[in-house]
Amino acid sequence: MFSKPINHFIKNLEVLKEFDKNENNKLIDSFINCIINTKYENSKVFIYGVGRSGFVGRAFAMRLMHLGFNVCFVGDTTCPSIENNDLLIVISGSGETFSIVNMLKKIKELKTNKNYSGLKTISITCKNENSVKKLSDINIPLPLHTDECFPMGTLFENIAFIFLDIIVYLLMKKLNISESEMKKRHCNLQ
């Protein structure tokens, strides 16, 4: 009973192994370099997702904060305005989430103004062809094998969470940041 969904989940984890091959390595390098560049340019990382993808985005935002990045989740009451050289990362399994598509259209519009020409967008999606991918500078596809074991995008959210935790690990290594250094930025008010 339990082994069927576990085996299916493991099969989908295999998708992440593909990132060590071909063009995927270039995508990961571009993704990591875009994040790192925000630190050097004193700019911000904005993250956005809707529903459970939003929870994945919030977890990633927290880890980026622990790494010392200036990061915020779009829609939070303390979210500042986006500026030139900032980075927007969106997470959408379908790649058709209405608010994300509209946000990326607005960003594309902003980028026609030279004051926003350095603004970058990265999307993480599941479906290969979608509106979000077309509107993003970089798209990270997570092509999953779905079935009835995991309903309504569950696999995408789980694999996206693990994928972004791997990105955090790679950022730690590239920036030479230890876990103890990250813990210094962890909330200690409780």
Side-chain angles (χ1 to χ4, degrees):
M1 173 171 87
F2 213 75
S3 63
K4 181 181 178 184
I6 293 295
N7 288 332
H8 190 70
F9 187 76
I10 290 168
K11 177 182 173 185
N12 279 281
L13 276 175
E14 296 287 328
V15 168
L16 296 180
K17 281 186 178 179
E18 295 300 311
F19 280 95
D20 273 340
K21 299 177 182 169
N22 351 14
E23 295 298 308
N24 290 331
N25 255 339
K26 292 178 187 171
L27 279 176
I28 299 303
D29 287 343
S30 296
F31 185 24
I32 288 171
N33 288 332
C34 282
I35 294 171
I36 290 172
N37 286 342
T38 65
K39 201 170 217 173
Y40 298 131
E41 295 167 356
N42 201 25
S43 50
K44 301 177 289 298
V45 179
F46 291 85
I47 299 178
Y48 187 56
V50 175
R52 289 166 44 126
S53 292
F55 292 129
V56 171
R58 286 177 188 278
F60 185 54
M62 177 185 276
R63 287 295 182 243
L64 289 180
M65 179 272 297
H66 291 151
L67 286 169
F69 289 93
N70 185 359
V71 62
C72 52
F73 189 84
V74 174
D76 284 350
T77 55
T78 57
C79 186
S81 61
I82 200 160
E83 297 172 313
N84 196 29
N85 298 322
D86 286 346
L87 171 63
L88 170 65
I89 300 169
V90 297
I91 304 164
S92 171
S94 69
E96 300 297 338
T97 308
F98 183 77
S99 60
I100 294 176
V101 170
N102 283 339
M103 181 181 298
L104 288 170
K105 285 179 180 176
K106 176 70 176 173
I107 295 292
K108 199 166 193 99
E109 216 176 275
L110 277 175
K111 287 172 73 168
T112 61
N113 178 330
K114 68 177 179 174
N115 295 331
Y116 290 94
S117 60
L119 192 53
K120 295 267 187 274
T121 56
I122 298 174
S123 59
I124 300 166
T125 60
C126 184
K127 305 225 181 214
N128 203 20
E129 290 305 317
N130 57 70
S131 300
V132 167
K133 175 183 178 178
K134 291 174 189 164
L135 292 165
S136 302
D137 296 317
I138 298 170
N139 175 257
I140 309 289
L142 299 176
L144 303 174
H145 314 281
T146 58
D147 77 1
E148 77 279 356
C149 293
F150 298 95
M152 301 174 60
T154 298
L155 273 175
F156 171 75
E157 295 140 4
N158 288 326
I159 300 299
F161 187 93
I162 293 167
F163 169 78
L164 291 169
D165 272 349
I166 293 168
I167 295 297
V168 169
Y169 165 78
L170 295 173
L171 285 165
M172 287 173 69
K173 295 300 174 201
K174 193 157 189 168
L175 296 170
N176 197 27
I177 296 174
S178 66
E179 184 178 350
S180 60
E181 186 178 339
M182 290 174 70
K183 283 182 180 179
K184 291 176 187 174
R185 293 186 190 96
H186 191 69
C187 179
N188 61 0
L189 297 175
Q190 296 141 342

